[in-house]
Amino acid sequence: MPEPGTTALVIALPDADPLLEAAWRVDPALVRRGVPAHVSLLYPFVPESALTHQDEKGVRSLVARFPAADLRLEEVVTASGFVAVTVPGLQPIVDAFRDQWPGLRPYRGRFGARPAAHVTVAMGADTPAAAAHVRAAIGSLLPLDTRAAAVQLVVLTEDGWQPRFTVPLGVPEGP
């Protein structure tokens, strides 16, 4: 379980929230309530206590290089109690962020060195039956079209994940 002060860089995909709602109807324990559908670019990112102006500037500069994108979510994947929908259209930006901060291990290495861009739908679906129920529940919602418009730096607080700043995709930095 992450500690307060943990940060992440994410792209929110609110159009994908129905996937999480469908998994919640299967079993509320499988879905992190209060965390909207998103793709993590880097989790965990630099701890809040260590974040610098240079980190923020680096994020803003990198985000400016990638345009907003229309996406189609189609493929469900499962692994070790985890159900997700891949987001291949965001893989280039995910890879760029991992390359920019090579010392940060995505998901602390839980899913390997370079996990695919994805929306986590359910965690803790530890039996094949539980994962199958979630897959069935979300399968009728796919394919799903959505748009990636901005990157957020979010911080875990005592009240849950809170945005620290948001940067629109494809907008050059100001002076």
Side-chain angles (χ1 to χ4, degrees), residues 100-115:
Q100 181 79 17
W101 284 273
L104 301 177
R105 291 180 347 157
Y107 307 100
R108 296 185 173 89
R110 179 177 174 200
F111 302 108
R114 296 189 84 76

Side-chain angles (χ1 to χ4, degrees), residues 25-38:
R25 286 190 297 274
V26 169
D27 182 348
L30 300 177
V31 180
R32 297 167 294 172
R33 295 308 284 175
V35 178
H38 66 279

Side-chain angles (χ1 to χ4, degrees), residues 77-169:
V77 295
T78 57
S80 64
F82 168 85
V83 180
V85 176
T86 61
V87 187
L90 291 180
Q91 196 64 51
I93 190 171
V94 168
D95 291 342
F97 272 85
R98 291 177 185 164
D99 292 345
Q100 181 79 17
W101 284 273
L104 301 177
R105 291 180 347 157
Y107 307 100
R108 296 185 173 89
R110 179 177 174 200
F111 302 108
R114 296 189 84 76
H118 65 277
V119 173
T120 299
V121 176
M123 293 183 358
D126 294 327
T127 67
H133 288 323
V134 172
R135 285 180 75 100
I138 66 174
S140 65
L141 301 173
L142 298 174
L144 186 147
D145 294 319
T146 188
R147 183 164 179 79
V151 170
Q152 285 188 321
L153 176 78
V154 294
V155 179
L156 184 59
T157 70
E158 298 294 335
D159 297 321
W161 290 96
Q162 302 294 322
R164 178 164 169 174
F165 64 81
T166 301
V167 184
L169 285 160

